[in-house]
Amino acid sequence: MKSLIAQFVEESRDFLQVISDTLLQLEQNSSNQLVIDELFRAVHTLKGNSGLFDFPVMTQLLHAGEDVMVRVRNGELEFDSSLADT
């Protein structure tokens, strides 16, 4: 099991880097649908992975982020720097 946790931590770092990079990209161009989709996928995958290892606080936080990104993807919420900071 320890090796699975180590793999989770390593992959989580990668996903967090993707999330950080895409947030910065979206601050420059908030209408880039490809980047919005990339951010959603990274948050969604990290949420699922955290659920597998029973990290409920992390899973809840990522689920909230995923809900926000669904609204951004659907055009219900505008992405801006304030949203990125949150």
Side-chain angles (χ1 to χ4, degrees):
M1 182 65 130
K2 188 173 183 177
S3 64
L4 290 176
I5 294 290
Q7 183 178 351
F8 168 75
V9 169
E10 183 178 333
E11 288 178 358
S12 294
R13 287 183 179 138
D14 292 341
F15 281 116
L16 289 172
Q17 186 62 54
V18 169
I19 290 168
S20 177
D21 292 346
T22 55
L23 285 171
L24 291 173
Q25 289 176 40
L26 285 174
E27 282 188 296
Q28 300 300 314
N29 180 5
S30 63
S31 64
N32 187 328
Q33 193 62 44
L34 293 175
V35 177
I36 290 170
D37 290 343
E38 182 178 1
L39 178 57
F40 174 83
R41 279 190 303 275
V43 171
H44 175 76
T45 302
L46 186 53
K47 178 197 75 169
N49 290 352
S50 69
L52 291 173
F53 288 93
D54 195 28
F55 295 126
V57 174
M58 183 178 185
T59 303
Q60 290 171 349
L61 176 66
L62 289 161
H63 187 73
E66 183 183 47
D67 288 345
V68 168
M69 290 312 302
V70 166
R71 293 185 60 208
V72 170
R73 286 173 85 185
N74 292 339
E76 300 167 12
L77 181 65
E78 184 177 336
F79 189 92
D80 59 17
S81 60
S82 175
L83 184 59
D85 290 345
T86 301

